[in-house]
Amino acid sequence: MSIAIAEPGGSIQGSFTVPGDKSMSHRAAMFASIAQGTTRITGFLAGEDSLNTLSAFASMGAKVVRDENTLTVEGVGMRGLHAPPGDLYMGNAGTGMRLIAGLLSAQSFPTRLTGDESLSRRPMGRIINPLCSMGAKISGDSDGCPPLSIEPAGALKAIDYQLPMASAQVKSCILLAALYASGTTRVTEPAITRDHTERMLQTFGYSVALPDESGTVQINGGGRLTGCNIDIPADISSAAFPMVAACISPGADVTLTNVGVNPTRTGVIDILRLMGADIVLTNERMSGAEPVADIRVRHSPLNGVDIPESLVPLAIDELPVVFIAAAVANGTTRVTGAEELRVKESDRIAAMATGLQTLGVDARPTPDGMVIVGGKIGGGTVDTFFDHRIAMSFCIASLRAELPIIVNDVQHVETSFPGFFELCQAQGLNVRIS
Ligand code: S3P
């Protein structure tokens, strides 16, 4: 168990790069493994979540070589995976488990997917139902949670599926099963979600029809992926922590370099700008199929806002740290339409509301969001519920706290942001691990 002690009165300055995008790292490991030929990946996130995905594919036959900067994967082709020697452990990663389940549902060998305590409580019915409609044989425990058991099912069939919730993981799971299904699969999302699967499949040479106005993505089964070069940009979800830190820390001037700014991920920039943040994108360019930019953030006073629901899926992982911004803003911030936060690595509405209240902030949880009246942040001991993003959010809060914040159980930060604490110290925050 690691505890972080975040002393008040730090600052943040400088130009730096946060680790690679977690969503893209999972996908790159998966697609490279089932591609024909060699894929070279730079910027791969060496965090626990994506490394578990990589190990899973290595245990099914993909040849993986990691040097300091490049991950080289020798793919086995669409039908080249073999049965792993045991269960596939996906750690803390909902993305890893849900996406791999789509792919493994089409294989000719059985698999069993397990996860840590947090992942073992997360809902899998959302993927089990559509996969079963495609003919897959997949089941979870009696509550529809992991472990997941997958039996060979023969040929899968395409489906037309209306997602019941805005989830890129469910969309991607179905698209991966659809690679192996006969016919055209159509997935319609109720709101735009991240589209890294669609973009990266195209980079691997697989044709995908991107969403039309009705939000429908289309893909035909039976094609193949070809090895390629993938350069993964810095993760905007990790960049969100220093971004909010710079917004709330007087005198701060921070530049985050080479950050992925795919429009399906930039809700945090839009929300912070609505609150009055000074954020400027420079050096905007494409890195393969993904837009990237340098993001400069300078301190400015923030105001409370009603966060538009359309921005919620585009900022879903960044909302915990947005709540910290709201806690020091002038006025009231209201978040609605964010019930998905209740089924993340922790119940992030409950976890953030409890921690903020401990620190003396007027934070009222609602079934689908939170109402936060900005003011002062005090100090105290907060629980992270073993959730990396809760842990990092409360470390950032120390920049405006009046007393130390003790953050319990910060070890899960390694899942998405290796080097977070070292980076905090190097850039001026008074955060140490004990
Ligand atoms: C992810 C999608 C989101 C996000 C998660 C990563 C992805 O989850 O919260 O951290 O890589 O597809 P949902 O699809 O469940 O919203």
Side-chain angles (χ1 to χ4, degrees):
M1 294 293 151
S2 313
I3 289 173
I5 300 168
E7 303 281 353
S11 64
I12 184 160
Q13 293 295 348
S15 172
F16 50 92
T17 311
V18 299
D21 188 278
K22 182 151 75 76
S23 291
M24 290 185 222
S25 295
H26 282 297
R27 287 159 172 81
M30 293 181 192
F31 300 172
S33 297
I34 58 163
Q36 203 72 50
T38 307
T39 296
R40 285 184 191 79
I41 307 166
T42 49
F44 188 83
L45 171 66
E48 285 171 7
D49 275 7
S50 36
L51 291 175
N52 280 325
T53 293
L54 202 55
S55 303
F57 281 92
S59 75
M60 292 186 286
K63 296 209 171 32
V64 177
V65 179
R66 270 175 75 198
D67 72 21
E68 213 184 308
N69 298 316
T70 310
L71 181 68
T72 307
V73 181
E74 206 59 58
V76 295
M78 297 299 285
R79 296 277 169 199
L81 296 174
H82 61 61
D87 291 353
L88 296 172
Y89 178 68
M90 306 315 296
N92 193 243
T95 308
M97 185 173 280
R98 292 189 177 120
L99 269 62
I100 207 175
L103 226 155
L104 294 180
S105 289
Q107 306 302 317
S108 57
F109 51 85
T111 38
R112 188 164 177 275
L113 303 175
T114 61
D116 70 4
E117 231 182 282
S118 149
L119 183 53
S120 300
R121 282 195 299 267
R122 295 184 67 185
M124 293 295 150
R126 55 180 61 197
I127 59 159
I128 293 174
N129 295 336
L131 288 174
C132 287
S133 310
M134 297 176 84
K137 292 192 176 145
I138 174 169
S139 56
D141 72 3
S142 54
D143 295 326
C145 292
L148 293 179
S149 298
I150 305 175
E151 294 296 327
L156 299 183
K157 46 185 192 304
I159 48 168
D160 277 8
Y161 195 68
Q162 172 75 49
L163 290 177
M165 74 293 290
S167 167
Q169 292 180 357
V170 180
K171 172 179 65 174
S172 302
C173 167
I174 299 169
L175 293 178
L176 293 189
L179 298 176
Y180 293 88
S182 52
T184 304
T185 291
R186 293 178 193 84
V187 186
T188 305
E189 42 190 13
I192 295 169
T193 67
R194 66 191 68 192
D195 63 2
H196 304 303
T197 299
E198 297 89 310
R199 287 178 191 241
M200 204 181 285
L201 281 173
Q202 289 178 338
T203 305
F204 277 90
Y206 204 106
S207 158
V208 190
L210 296 176
D212 52 20
E213 310 90 78
S214 62
T216 304
V217 184
Q218 278 193 46
I219 194 164
N220 292 321
R224 56 180 238 171
L225 278 68
T226 305
C228 58
N229 293 339
I230 301 275
D231 190 13
I232 296 175
D235 196 331
I236 191 163
S237 298
S238 296
F241 297 100
M243 281 169 64
V244 169
C247 288
I248 68 171
S249 177
D253 184 352
V254 165
T255 300
L256 298 152
T257 53
N258 196 39
V259 184
V261 288
N262 179 317
T264 61
R265 296 286 299 281
T266 47
V268 64
I269 297 179
D270 299 332
I271 293 170
L272 290 172
R273 280 182 173 154
L274 283 176
M275 297 176 81
D278 178 355
I279 302 177
V280 178
L281 268 56
T282 57
N283 202 10
E284 291 184 65
R285 60 206 184 274
M286 291 301 286
S287 172
E290 293 281 350
V292 296
D294 299 342
I295 303 179
R296 183 174 185 190
V297 188
R298 280 171 283 192
H299 169 256
S300 62
L302 298 181
N303 298 310
V305 291
D306 288 354
I307 295 181
E309 287 195 8
S310 59
L311 291 179
V312 165
L314 313 182
I316 193 72
D317 291 340
E318 295 70 65
L319 289 175
V321 76
V322 167
F323 295 157
I324 301 297
V328 297
N330 297 312
T332 302
T333 296
R334 288 180 198 82
V335 183
T336 54
E339 58 280 356
E340 278 294 302
L341 285 183
R342 294 212 176 264
V343 290
K344 294 293 178 189
E345 286 84 327
S346 69
D347 175 343
R348 288 181 170 161
I349 293 175
M352 286 305 298
T354 307
L356 286 169
Q357 288 163 2
T358 301
L359 301 179
V361 176
D362 181 353
R364 277 163 272 159
T366 63
D368 67 341
M370 187 125 51
V371 180
I372 299 174
V373 182
K376 290 193 166 136
I377 298 181
T381 301
V382 293
D383 285 326
T384 60
F385 301 88
F386 307 100
D387 183 328
H388 53 136
R389 298 200 201 281
I390 305 298
M392 291 186 275
S393 297
F394 283 116
C395 290
I396 298 303
S398 69
L399 284 164
R400 290 286 291 274
E402 293 177 334
L403 292 165
I405 302 178
I406 314 295
V407 189
N408 282 333
D409 297 312
V410 298
Q411 58 276 14
H412 281 73
V413 165
E414 284 297 307
T415 60
S416 67
F417 200 152
F420 173 76
F421 294 104
E422 293 78 0
L423 189 127
C424 284
Q425 282 155 11
Q427 305 309 141
L429 281 89
N430 290 329
V431 180
R432 69 190 150 83
I433 298 291
S434 117

